[in-house]
Amino acid sequence: PKYIELYGEKKMKHNNSNRVVAIIEARMTSIRLPGKVLLKACGKPLLAHLIERLQRAESLDEVIVATTVNDTDDPIACLAAQLGIGCFRGSEHDVLGRVLNAANEFNVDTIVEITGDCPALDPKVVDICVAAFFEQKVHFLANRIKPLYPGGMDVRVLSKQTLKEVDLISQDDPFAREHVSLPITDNAGKYKIYSLEAPPELSMPELNIELDEPDDYKMIKTVFEALYPGNPQFDLSDIISYIKKNPGILEVNKNVARKDARE
């Protein structure tokens, strides 16, 4: 498909009247690794790395953070202000409502849903996903339904209108409120869903650079310290190349158990 051929070559374009915005879900009260989004690599908070990487995505009109109203998340709001990006504060557990309200406040048409667990996310992968979303004309696109991309490269794309519909049908489902896209994937017969698979050169399912537990932080810190000083704009192909040359690094977090949405 053309959006694979465009990887790293051309600007991803969309209808100029359609505001495409990355909404990062982030909070400080993770059970397994409290404060994880503000842990540092190369002297910078991981959330700052994620924001700066997303700002390089050519398909995005804006990057904002959706955090909670809890005092514990004041540092996240402060970081957003320091970096000059928008911040919406809402419910801790009703993440769906938080994202929808953020989309309303910032006049978003198309939501690129990102979690703060993905500090090494490649902006080019975001561009691929956004281009595919518009080309396939679907309600929802995700790139790790079939996990060929490494963990930590997770991108989900949907329209605000779709999220409004999902909001109405999921009022009494706490799992759905916590996991924004769950009502869509649970109702695959109602919604057009596109699973974007990684091209062979970007596929490494055994690699996980998602931030869940302390061993994940060790993995992510290792990757950043190896690649960032020489190339702050390193991408997924650089990460894969580095891991192939240093396969022992995969051992660092291979025993971390990953939860699915219904756990």
Side-chain angles (χ1 to χ4, degrees), residues 94 96 100 164 166-174 176-177:
D94 182 8
L96 193 160
L100 179 56
K164 284 182 177 179
V166 167
D167 176 58
L168 292 175
I169 65 173
S170 63
Q171 292 293 323
D172 299 320
D173 185 345
R177 306 308 299 185

Side-chain angles (χ1 to χ4, degrees), residues 26 31 34-37 44-45 56 62 79 110 120 126 128 130 136 140 148-149 180 192 200 207 218 248 259:
I31 294 173
K36 62 183 181 181
V37 296
K44 186 179 298 184
R56 296 201 300 271
E62 191 173 359
L79 178 64
T110 298
V126 174
I128 291 171
V130 172
Q136 296 295 326
F140 176 72
L148 297 178
Y149 276 107
V180 178
K192 293 181 181 178
L207 171 62
K218 293 177 185 176
K259 295 182 178 180

Side-chain angles (χ1 to χ4, degrees), residues 12-259:
M12 304 291 177
K13 294 184 178 180
H14 56 79
N15 185 332
N16 288 334
S17 65
N18 190 313
R19 270 179 50 78
V20 179
V21 176
I23 301 180
I24 305 170
E25 302 155 8
R27 63 188 176 96
M28 294 290 285
T29 51
S30 166
I31 294 173
R32 290 188 283 174
L33 187 57
K36 62 183 181 181
V37 296
L38 295 187
L39 293 174
K40 291 186 177 182
C42 298
K44 186 179 298 184
L46 291 175
L47 181 58
H49 281 294
L50 173 58
I51 290 167
E52 290 174 5
R53 293 173 76 80
L54 286 170
Q55 287 175 326
R56 296 201 300 271
E58 297 181 337
S59 57
L60 299 177
D61 293 302
E62 191 173 359
V63 177
I64 65 174
V65 172
T67 192
T68 85
V69 294
N70 299 346
D71 292 345
T72 51
D73 288 319
D74 288 351
I76 291 177
C78 288
L79 178 64
Q82 290 169 12
L83 295 177
I85 71 163
C87 180
F88 178 84
R89 304 188 72 168
S91 169
E92 177 178 5
H93 300 294
D94 182 8
V95 187
L96 193 160
R98 193 197 319 161
V99 171
L100 179 56
N101 288 328
N104 286 330
E105 180 162 319
F106 287 89
N107 299 313
V108 179
D109 297 302
T110 298
I111 298 165
V112 181
E113 184 196 355
I114 306 294
T115 70
D117 302 341
C118 301
L121 181 59
D122 185 344
K124 296 177 187 176
V125 172
V126 174
D127 287 337
I128 291 171
C129 290
V130 172
F133 175 79
F134 286 111
E135 184 171 297
Q136 296 295 326
K137 296 180 173 63
V138 293
H139 294 106
F140 176 72
L141 176 145
N143 68 337
R144 293 198 71 248
I145 294 174
K146 186 174 182 181
L148 297 178
Y149 276 107
M153 291 292 146
D154 305 54
V155 180
R156 303 177 187 93
V157 189
L158 69 161
S159 71
K160 183 173 71 175
Q161 183 57 43
T162 296
L163 190 58
K164 284 182 177 179
E165 294 175 12
V166 167
D167 176 58
L168 292 175
I169 65 173
S170 63
Q171 292 293 323
D172 299 320
D173 185 345
F175 289 106
R177 306 308 299 185
E178 188 173 354
H179 302 280
V180 178
S181 57
L182 197 60
I184 300 175
T185 53
D186 279 356
N187 292 277
K190 179 178 179 180
Y191 296 103
K192 293 181 181 178
I193 297 172
Y194 189 74
S195 174
L196 179 66
E197 297 182 8
E201 65 271 20
L202 298 180
S203 178
M204 185 177 271
E206 67 272 26
L207 171 62
N208 201 307
I209 44 177
E210 181 178 0
L211 185 61
D212 286 325
E213 296 192 0
D215 284 345
D216 294 322
Y217 177 49
K218 293 177 185 176
M219 164 67 85
I220 291 166
K221 197 164 180 284
T222 297
V223 169
F224 269 91
E225 289 177 348
L227 300 177
Y228 184 86
N231 178 17
Q233 298 188 12
F234 69 88
D235 60 19
L236 178 54
S237 62
D238 295 319
I239 297 172
I240 290 174
S241 177
Y242 171 67
I243 295 297
K244 285 181 176 179
K245 292 175 183 175
N246 302 275
I249 293 171
L250 291 171
E251 299 293 314
V252 171
N253 65 344
K254 75 171 187 177
N255 293 322
V256 174
R258 307 296 169 183
K259 295 182 178 180

